[in-house]
């Protein structure tokens, strides 16, 4: 727990608290390597043969990546995977975080801080998530509504290298505002003759206590024939992963002056606290085939096929507060800190029969697939080079996010935030009694998305001799992308003890014990916190069987009472109904010219490039405008909603490299970059809604019985009029969004003092325009045959700005001059500093629960001010050991995310008051500074076989969320603990 005048815990604190298994693995990583190495040395000394060192494995990969960076004509970094298994991380996403200036977030979605992702999700380059992804230099994407290939979907075993470009050139395809990450797959011409390899692996999570398999196989060969050189390569990889994540949440604090024992004093009390556990399972497979043909030395044809399949399911048991903050009271013996912030005590609701809470089972499944078929032709002669390529990408993503909940009213919630980890629980006897639950709600989100892209590009380069201008390069690229999406949105429906729209729903029966399962939260947080109370939640069948009638089974257990004879009772949505359909088409045309120059006769040779790229984008979108279910406003009618939008961008770029010495380089870069909005943001759909505000419900419903009030004159229920409804439209879409642009400058100095050791310092700035912010407007809509009404609409607009400046420093070093066996030691270290400021409009600015604005410099989302990586390496003879620690300081995840926004009645003094004036509040949530320790050790058994042990999250890091509040100060809002993962792999190369 943190108040505004307290200091957060040492981010390395959790490093020293490990499970016994982690300690054993660390011991193995630290002690086994020297033992094997000394044994190897003794054997060689006995033979008396001269020492011959073949540089392979991790050090070889680092040498290759360093050479690529040194010879590049732009600022970049790289990761090489020359040998199968040289990337020990479980995903490409995890590997990328080792690079200076690159970090990852660990949430299912960055705007949803409540759902943790064990493998990491988004990739951020120099503080920005707008990263362009490439597959062999060509665009690729996943059908998740974005424009990038989900790096977690790609098996690292299929890759030859990963290149991270931080300064663009004119010949690069546009779209990487932060940078471009190119996944380079293997080609048969990379090796002469035949090569075969395979790997077998088992991975284990210590919290979920499950072991899952992984395996891969590769075959590659080349043949010299009278018709030229042929090459064929086939690669296959498959892996499964199971993990568990436990979470505790402390809800936002509200200002009170009526707490027992503190009447008249200003204190801060949370709405409540809750807990949950999530099981995550995924299967990932990839298939890759490449064929090359060089009929003569200066002609080459390449055909590649890449296919990635990603299947995921997570199940969550959660209890969550759904109470009224105006009714919450803290016990008189509660403990408050010097700022009046509650630290320990009991929460209850004396005026009600308990604190309203929900308990749910949530099942989310996804199947994502990306297929990329590309053809490339290359030709060169003495003075020119030509390349032509065709590409077809098809992607799909289909899934269901299904929640079934029961409700209960717990007598109290006990919280204790005085320790490093919280204790949150409730009445165990109450929660363990199935009779204390009633059916609550159903909610689903169904989606079935598909997209495709066809591109054609041609590049021509003419080389000049005896001139400062070494070559002139020009080219053109055309693409057409289409997207067809069915998305039902999140469809919430009450089936129990709630009032729904204009009718009441009364529970016909409590759920049977057989309808639920009891979660005992065994080994919660690995036993590091007191176990929370057991709770009942619906069995998984009701959530996972959505498409086979399980929702109807729940509905059949309750009785709907349609008080106003409207027929408006909640129904599941049919994903095939056309109102949930939207489509998009995008055409882009780009041309560029680039001059590559070199002043080689200067004291310090200078080289680089200067170019400009012109891009035209045409977007069309088609969706539906859906009216509220209430009869006054259209009764659920819908109508077509087409849209068109076009824009042009001119993108100049300049790169210069100065060779101060053969091993010392100075670079400068200046460019304008752009990125288009995600396809999911460009949909034209808009769903309007109508609800009776809470402050109007007493006019129509009895606050105790929830039954409708009766008009004494007619004997009938009092019916709401149109003006009694709040009519709104909340949309994440806007088909008229413009691209984000950045004017950026980079400088770096790079020292390559050996073939495997280097260091560099880089400085950079980005001035960003067109970031997405929310805007509230009033618009008039009328369904056919109905009058027009004014709706309050919230949608994203391209009006935000941001400024980013930062620095990177990196060093890779091997101690080759030390006496044996210490000449196998090495390390890699890098540090990144970024200062950012996000400039948003009033509709997106944070506002505290007391109604006050923030005197807070809002950072750009997902940017840590400080981040570093430390990697210790030992490679000698047949042993390679790596310990890698990754740390980043706090970063903003969201403003006003689910659970951190709402409306609250306040008195004139800013205290919670049920008779006060309603104010909207939205809180900034940050991820606290955190570090993760990973390790690996491998042993080369002979020329063919090697064995490796890998471990992730050896430090058992607890990821914490920080909610920023003004008077009450910052405090932890969530705690997440996930598995330490181990894998044992056998690899063979022939």
């Amino acid at each position: 727990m943190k108040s505004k005048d307290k200091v957060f815990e040492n981010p390395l604190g959790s490093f020293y608290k490990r499970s016994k298994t982690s300690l054993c693995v660390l011991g193995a990583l630290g002690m086994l390597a020297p033992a094997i190495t000394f044994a190897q040395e003794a054997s060689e000394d006995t033979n008396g043969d001269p020492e011959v060192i073949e540089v392979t494995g991790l050090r070889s990969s680092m040498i290759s990546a360093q050479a690529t960076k040194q010879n590049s004509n732009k600022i970049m970094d790289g990761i090489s995977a020359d040998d199968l298994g040289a990337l020990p991380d479980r995903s490409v996403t995890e590997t990328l975080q080792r690079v200076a200036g690159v970090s990852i977030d660990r949430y299912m979605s960055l705007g949803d801080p409540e759902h943790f992702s064990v493998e990491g999700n988004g990739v951020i380059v120099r503080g920005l998530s707008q990263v362009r992804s490439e597959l062999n230099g060509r665009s690729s994407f996943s059908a998740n509504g974005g424009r990038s290939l989900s790096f977690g979907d790609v098996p690292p075993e299929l890759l030859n290298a990963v290149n991270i470009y931080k300064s663009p050139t004119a010949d690069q395809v546009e779209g990487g505002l932060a940078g471009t990450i190119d996944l380079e797959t293997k080609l048969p011409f990379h090796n002469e003759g035949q090569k075969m390899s395979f790997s077998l692996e088992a991975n284990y999570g210590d919290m979920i206590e499950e072991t899952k398999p992984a395996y891969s196989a590769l075959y590659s060969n080349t043949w010299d024939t009278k018709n030229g050189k042929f090459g064929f390569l086939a690669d296959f990889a498959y892996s499964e992963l199971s993990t568990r994540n436990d979470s505790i949440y402390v809800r936002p604090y509200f200002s009170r002056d009526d707490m027992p024992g503190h009447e008249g004093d200003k204190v801060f009390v949370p709405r409540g606290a809750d807990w949950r556990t999530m099981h995550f399972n995924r299967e990932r497979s990839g298939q890759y085939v490449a064929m090359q043909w060089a009929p003569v030395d200066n002609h080459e044809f390449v055909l590649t096929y890449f296919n990635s399949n990603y299947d995921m399911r997570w199940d969550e048991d959660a209890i969550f507060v759904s109470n009224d903050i105006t009714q919450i009271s803290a016990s008189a013996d509660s403990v408050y800190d010097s700022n009046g912030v509650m630290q320990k005590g009991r929460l209850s609701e004396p005026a009600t029969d308990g604190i309203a809470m929900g308990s749910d089972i949530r099942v989310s499944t996804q199947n994502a697939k990306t297929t990329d078929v590309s053809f490339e032709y290359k030709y060169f002669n003495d003075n020119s080079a030509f390349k032509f390529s065709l590409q077809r990408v098809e992607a799909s993503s289909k899934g269901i996010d299904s929640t079934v909940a029961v409700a209960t009213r717990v007598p109290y919630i006990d919280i204790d935030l005085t320790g490093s980890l919280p204790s949150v629980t409730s009445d165990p006897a109450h929660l363990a009694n199935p009779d204390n639950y009633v059916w609550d709600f159903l909610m689903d989100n169904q989606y079935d998305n598909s997209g495709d892209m066809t591109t054609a590009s041609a590049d021509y380069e003419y080389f000049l001799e005896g001139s400062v201008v070494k070559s002139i390069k020009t080219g053109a690229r055309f693409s057409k992308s289409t997207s067809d999406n069915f998305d039902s949105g999140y469809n919430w429906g009450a089936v129990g003890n709630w009032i729904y729209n204009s009718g009441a729903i009364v529970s016909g029966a409590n759920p049977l014990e057989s309808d639920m399962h009891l979660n005992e939260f065994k080994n919660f947080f690995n036993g590091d916190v007191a176990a929370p109370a057991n709770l009942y939640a619906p069995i998984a069948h009701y959530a996972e069987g959505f498409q086979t009638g399980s929702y109807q089974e729940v509905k059949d257990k309750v009785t709907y009472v349609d008080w106003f004879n409207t027929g408006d009772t909640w129904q599941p949505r049919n994903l095939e109904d056309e109102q949930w359909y939207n489509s998009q088409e995008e055409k882009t045309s780009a041309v560029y010219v680039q001059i590559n120059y070199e002043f080689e006769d200067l004291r310090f040779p200078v080289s680089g490039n200067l170019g400009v790229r012109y891009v035209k984008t045409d977007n069309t979108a088609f969706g539906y405008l859906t009216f509220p279910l209430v009869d006054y406003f259209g009764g659920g009618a819908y109508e077509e909603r087409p849209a068109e939008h076009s824009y042009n961008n001119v993108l100049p770029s300049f790169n210069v490299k100065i060779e101060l010495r053969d091993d010392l380089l100075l670079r400068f870069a200046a460019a304008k970059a752009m990125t288009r909005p995600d396809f999911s943001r460009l949909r034209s759909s808009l769903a309007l809604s109508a609800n009776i505000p809470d402050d109007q419900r007493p006019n129509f419903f009895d606050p105790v019985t929830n039954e409708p009030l009766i008009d004494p004159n007619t004997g009938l229920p009092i019916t709401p009029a149109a003006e009694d409804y709040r009519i709104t439209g909340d949309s994440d879409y806007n088909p008229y969004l413009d691209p984000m642009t950045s004017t950026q400058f980079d400088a770096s100095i790079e020292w390559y003092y050996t073939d495997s050791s280097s260091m560099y310092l880089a400085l950079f700035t980005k001035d960003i325009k067109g970031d997405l912010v929310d805007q509230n407007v009033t618009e008039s809509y009328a369904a056919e045959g109905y009058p027009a009404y004014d709706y309050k609409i919230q949608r994203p607009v391209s009006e935000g700005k941001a400024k980013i400046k930062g620095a990177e420093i990196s060093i890779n070093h091997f101690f080759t001059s030390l006496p044996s066996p210490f000449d196998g030691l090495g390390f890699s270290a890098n540090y990144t500093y970024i200062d950012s400021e996000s400039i948003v409009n009033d509709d997106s600015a944070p506002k505290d629960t007391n109604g006050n604005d923030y005197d807070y410099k809002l950072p750009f989302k997902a940017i840590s001010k400080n981040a570093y990586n430390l990697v210790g390496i030992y490679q000698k003879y047949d042993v390679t050991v790596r310990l890698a620690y990754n740390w980043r300081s706090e970063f903003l995840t969201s403003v006003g995310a689910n659970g951190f926004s709402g409306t609250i009645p306040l008195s004139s003094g800013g205290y919670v008051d049920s008779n006060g004036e309603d104010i909207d509040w939205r809180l900034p949530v940050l991820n606290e500074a955190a570090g993760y320790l990973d390790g690996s050790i491998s042993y080369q058994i002979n020329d063919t076989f090697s064995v490796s042990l890998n471990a992730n999250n050896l430090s058992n890091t607890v990821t914490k969320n920080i909610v920023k509040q003004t008077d009450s100060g910052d405090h932890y809002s969530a705690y997440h603990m996930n598995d330490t993962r181990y894998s044992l792999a056998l690899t063979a190369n022939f």
Side-chain angles (χ1 to χ4, degrees):
M1 171 70 192
K2 177 192 175 187
S3 300
K4 62 183 179 182
D5 59 350
K6 292 183 180 179
V7 179
F8 279 153
E9 303 165 16
N10 184 340
L12 289 173
S14 61
F15 177 89
Y16 297 100
K17 188 174 184 181
R18 302 187 185 91
S19 66
K20 293 180 179 179
T21 310
S22 295
L23 291 171
C24 291
V25 171
L26 280 173
L29 292 173
M31 298 172 62
L32 182 59
I36 298 175
T37 301
F38 279 118
Q40 179 73 33
E41 277 199 310
S43 174
E44 294 201 0
D45 289 344
T46 301
N47 294 333
D49 294 330
E51 182 180 44
V52 178
I53 298 176
E54 181 183 359
V55 180
T56 60
L58 187 58
R59 184 178 170 193
S60 172
S61 295
M62 294 178 68
I63 292 173
S64 177
Q66 177 173 305
T68 300
K69 177 181 177 69
Q70 184 174 2
N71 295 323
S72 175
N73 64 349
K74 59 183 74 68
I75 296 175
M76 58 89 67
D77 283 291
I79 304 167
S80 177
D82 294 327
D83 296 332
L84 188 65
L87 293 174
D89 295 299
R90 298 302 89 209
S91 71
V92 176
T93 305
E94 290 182 333
T95 301
L96 285 166
Q97 69 178 321
R98 314 294 177 198
V99 177
V102 180
S103 55
I104 65 175
D105 74 74
R106 296 177 181 271
Y107 298 93
M108 297 288 186
S109 171
L110 185 60
D112 179 11
E114 293 196 348
H115 291 94
F116 192 78
S117 173
V118 173
E119 284 191 295
N121 183 29
V123 175
I124 296 101
V125 176
R126 289 182 169 176
L128 294 174
S129 60
Q130 290 76 20
V131 178
R132 174 179 145 74
S133 65
E134 294 183 339
L135 195 64
N136 297 321
R138 294 179 289 272
S139 296
S140 195
F141 62 92
S142 303
N144 55 6
R147 292 184 176 273
S148 62
L149 186 65
S150 178
F151 298 113
D153 297 358
V154 181
E157 295 89 348
L158 302 185
L159 301 179
N160 181 63
V162 180
N163 297 314
I164 303 98
Y165 299 105
K166 299 176 180 178
S167 66
T169 53
D171 60 349
Q172 277 189 304
V173 180
E174 72 285 345
L177 192 73
T180 296
I181 297 178
D182 182 22
L183 307 183
E184 180 185 314
T185 56
K186 301 169 183 177
L187 292 173
F189 284 4
H190 287 161
N191 297 284
E192 289 294 331
Q194 179 174 275
K195 179 178 180 180
M196 293 185 293
S197 62
F198 71 83
S199 67
L200 300 173
E201 181 178 347
N203 60 78
Y204 173 80
D206 68 340
M207 287 175 61
I208 200 169
E209 297 181 336
E210 293 182 8
T211 301
K212 295 295 182 179
Y215 48 86
S216 65
L218 175 144
Y219 174 81
S220 177
N221 209 342
T222 60
W223 300 270
D224 291 312
T225 73
K226 63 180 181 181
N227 294 316
K229 183 177 182 179
F230 288 90
F232 173 82
L233 183 148
D235 203 350
F236 172 80
Y238 174 86
S239 68
E240 295 182 29
L241 178 72
S242 291
T243 64
R244 190 182 107 192
N245 178 69
D246 295 338
S247 300
I248 298 175
Y249 300 88
V250 180
R251 298 304 171 180
Y253 281 78
F254 294 83
S255 181
R256 304 295 294 268
D257 63 353
D258 56 351
M259 290 297 96
H262 294 270
E263 289 83 357
D265 295 335
K266 185 177 186 178
V267 296
F268 301 94
V269 176
R271 176 187 177 188
D274 39 50
W275 57 95
R276 65 184 65 173
T277 189
M278 182 178 75
H279 293 80
F280 175 84
N281 297 273
R282 69 115 172 103
E283 295 181 14
R284 183 179 63 205
S285 63
Q287 304 85 38
Y288 172 68
V289 176
M291 293 180 284
Q292 284 180 281
W293 177 39
V296 291
D297 288 343
N298 61 343
H299 291 265
E300 183 180 310
F301 298 86
V302 182
L303 180 66
T304 60
Y305 168 86
F306 172 83
N307 183 69
S308 173
N309 288 277
Y310 183 88
D311 286 289
M312 173 276 295
R313 168 174 169 154
W314 54 267
D315 299 58
E316 179 182 74
D317 274 355
I319 188 168
F320 51 90
V321 290
S322 53
N323 60 322
D324 182 355
I325 179 57
T326 66
Q327 303 300 315
I328 276 289
S329 180
S331 58
D333 62 352
S334 295
V335 177
Y336 298 85
D337 68 9
S338 59
N339 294 313
V341 179
M342 182 178 176
Q343 300 287 290
K344 183 178 180 180
R346 172 166 290 186
L347 299 175
S348 62
E349 291 189 10
T352 67
D353 56 353
I355 301 174
M357 301 190 78
S359 175
D360 70 30
I361 177 67
R362 184 174 178 181
V363 175
S364 182
T365 63
Q366 180 191 36
N367 172 255
K369 180 179 180 180
T370 297
T371 301
D372 184 315
V373 179
S374 300
F375 168 79
E376 186 174 84
Y377 166 68
K378 298 178 182 179
Y379 165 81
F380 64 92
N381 58 28
D382 290 341
N383 56 18
S384 63
F386 174 75
K387 181 174 72 174
F388 172 76
S389 63
L390 289 172
Q391 180 191 24
R392 173 72 174 180
V393 180
E394 295 181 353
S396 62
S397 180
K398 184 176 182 179
I400 295 177
D401 189 352
S402 174
T403 303
V404 179
V406 292
T408 188
R409 284 189 173 270
V410 299
Y412 59 84
I413 301 174
D414 284 339
I415 63 172
D416 183 352
L417 309 176
T418 58
S420 60
L421 292 175
S423 173
V424 176
T425 191
S426 186
D427 186 337
H430 176 95
L431 288 171
N433 185 350
D435 295 335
N436 290 328
Y437 296 81
V438 296
W439 289 108
D440 195 357
F441 69 83
L442 306 170
M443 182 176 68
D444 71 284
N445 171 221
Q446 311 165 61
Y447 58 93
D448 188 353
N449 304 330
S450 62
D452 60 70
M453 178 180 66
T454 303
T455 63
S457 63
D459 301 88
Y460 176 76
E461 186 170 11
Y462 183 76
F463 300 94
L464 295 90
E465 293 186 3
S467 171
V468 170
V469 176
K470 293 301 179 183
S471 70
I472 299 174
K473 190 175 183 181
T474 186
R477 179 180 182 271
F478 304 93
S479 74
K480 178 182 178 181
S481 302
T482 63
S483 177
D484 292 288
N485 307 295
F486 284 88
D487 192 331
S488 68
Y490 279 95
N491 180 32
W492 181 92
V495 293
N497 63 333
W498 292 72
I499 300 298
Y500 179 69
N501 272 352
S502 56
I505 302 173
V506 179
S507 179
N510 289 356
L512 301 175
E513 187 171 2
S514 59
D515 292 325
M516 301 182 291
H517 72 282
L518 184 66
N519 191 328
E520 298 178 293
F521 295 99
K522 294 180 178 178
N523 197 33
F524 196 65
F525 272 69
N526 259 331
D528 291 342
V529 302
N534 303 340
L535 66 87
Y536 274 101
I539 58 177
H541 160 74
Y542 288 121
E544 67 190 2
F546 166 77
Q547 291 181 309
T548 56
S550 64
Y551 274 22
Q552 188 60 46
E553 292 178 41
V554 176
K555 290 183 63 181
D556 290 342
K557 296 174 182 291
V558 299
T559 302
Y560 283 83
V561 181
D562 188 7
W563 296 107
F564 306 126
N565 298 315
T566 63
D568 294 334
T569 58
W570 180 85
Q571 299 291 333
R573 292 170 178 168
N574 184 350
L575 187 61
E576 296 181 0
D577 288 346
E578 61 181 358
Q579 69 191 93
W580 312 123
Y581 171 75
N582 62 84
S583 65
Q584 293 151 269
E585 181 179 278
E586 180 179 272
K587 296 180 179 179
T588 70
S589 305
V591 294
Y592 75 89
V593 61
Q594 177 176 302
I595 296 173
N596 299 306
Y597 61 85
E598 183 176 1
F599 297 89
E600 53 189 341
D601 294 331
L602 298 178
R603 179 184 177 186
F604 303 114
V606 175
S607 61
N609 54 76
L610 172 67
V612 63
R613 189 177 187 90
Y614 171 79
V615 186
K616 186 177 188 299
T617 305
D618 296 301
N619 278 316
T620 60
F622 176 84
Y624 289 90
L625 172 67
T626 305
F627 290 91
L629 285 171
V630 180
D631 283 341
Y632 292 120
F633 311 106
Y638 56 92
E639 60 185 42
E640 295 180 356
R641 184 178 168 85
E644 295 184 3
H645 187 48
S646 300
Y647 47 85
N648 304 315
N649 294 93
V650 178
L651 307 173
S653 62
F654 171 69
N655 287 269
V656 58
K657 178 171 69 174
I658 304 172
E659 298 182 39
L660 303 178
R661 293 197 313 254
D662 289 344
D663 61 350
L664 188 64
L665 306 178
L666 182 64
R667 297 183 190 264
F668 297 97
K672 185 173 184 180
M674 61 89 81
T675 189
R676 302 177 181 90
D678 285 346
F679 280 110
S680 60
R681 292 286 197 168
L682 295 172
R683 297 173 181 174
S684 62
S685 303
L686 177 62
L688 304 175
S689 60
N691 294 285
I692 300 175
D694 290 340
D695 58 358
Q696 293 292 321
R697 287 193 176 277
N699 297 328
F700 309 103
F701 299 99
D702 186 289
V704 177
T705 66
N706 281 335
E707 293 186 359
L709 300 177
I710 303 300
D711 186 336
N713 297 320
T714 65
L716 298 174
I718 300 174
T719 305
E723 57 268 22
D724 294 318
Y725 287 85
R726 178 188 290 125
I727 52 177
T728 60
D730 188 359
S731 176
D732 291 330
Y733 319 137
N734 184 349
Y736 301 103
L737 293 174
D738 290 319
M740 286 178 66
T741 60
S742 171
T743 301
Q744 54 195 54
F745 298 92
D746 300 83
S748 71
I749 186 165
E750 303 165 8
W751 182 25
Y752 303 91
Y753 52 94
T754 74
D755 64 349
S756 61
S757 300
S758 64
M759 64 176 63
Y760 79 85
L761 170 68
L763 306 174
F764 55 89
T765 67
K766 295 178 184 287
D767 189 354
I768 298 168
K769 297 179 181 179
D771 186 26
L772 298 188
V773 294
D774 289 331
Q775 181 185 66
N776 294 323
V777 295
T778 300
E779 296 176 347
S780 180
Y781 294 102
E784 185 176 356
Y786 292 82
Y789 291 92
D790 290 337
Y791 293 80
K792 183 180 179 181
I793 307 297
Q794 177 179 288
R795 65 164 60 92
V797 292
S798 306
E799 295 182 359
K801 298 179 181 180
K803 295 182 181 296
I804 295 172
K805 58 184 178 182
E808 300 168 357
I809 185 169
S810 176
I811 180 170
N812 299 306
H813 183 80
F814 278 92
F815 297 94
T816 55
S817 60
L818 292 177
S820 183
F822 304 105
D823 54 346
L825 288 170
F827 74 93
S828 175
N830 59 67
Y831 165 76
T832 303
Y833 169 84
I834 301 176
D835 182 46
S836 69
E837 181 180 5
S838 185
I839 304 168
V840 300
N841 58 11
D842 291 341
D843 294 332
S844 291
K847 186 178 288 291
D848 203 355
T849 55
N850 58 9
N852 292 342
D853 296 326
Y854 280 73
D855 182 17
Y856 170 54
K857 179 183 174 183
L858 192 69
F860 200 74
K861 189 182 295 185
I863 289 183
S864 291
K865 179 166 284 189
N866 300 283
Y868 64 82
N869 289 280
L870 296 174
V871 183
I873 302 165
Y874 184 83
Q875 183 172 348
K876 181 70 174 178
Y877 303 114
D878 300 323
V879 178
T880 300
V881 180
R882 190 192 74 162
L883 282 175
Y885 186 74
N886 170 267
W887 182 90
R888 61 182 300 198
S889 61
E890 67 179 30
F891 62 90
L892 181 69
T893 67
S894 58
V895 175
N898 180 45
F900 300 95
S901 62
T903 303
I904 186 71
L906 296 180
S907 67
S908 58
Y911 299 103
V912 172
D913 183 349
S914 58
N915 297 315
E917 180 181 355
D918 283 347
I919 65 102
D920 293 329
W921 55 275
R922 48 189 174 271
L923 305 180
V925 179
L926 295 88
N927 192 99
E928 196 213 10
Y932 298 85
L933 177 68
D934 306 317
S936 65
I937 180 169
S938 64
Y939 176 63
Q940 189 73 36
I941 301 171
N942 53 37
D943 291 342
T944 300
F945 293 99
S946 64
V947 63
S948 63
L949 173 65
N950 303 305
N952 295 79
N953 191 27
L954 281 166
S955 51
N956 294 321
T957 299
V958 175
T959 302
K960 301 177 182 180
N961 293 150
I962 305 166
V963 62
K964 296 191 75 70
Q965 297 196 247
T966 52
D967 288 351
S968 61
D970 303 347
H971 66 88
Y972 291 126
S973 61
Y975 306 75
H976 306 283
M977 176 177 276
N978 59 277
D979 299 83
T980 297
R981 291 173 286 140
Y982 308 95
S983 67
L984 183 65
L986 174 68
T987 302
N989 288 279
F990 303 91

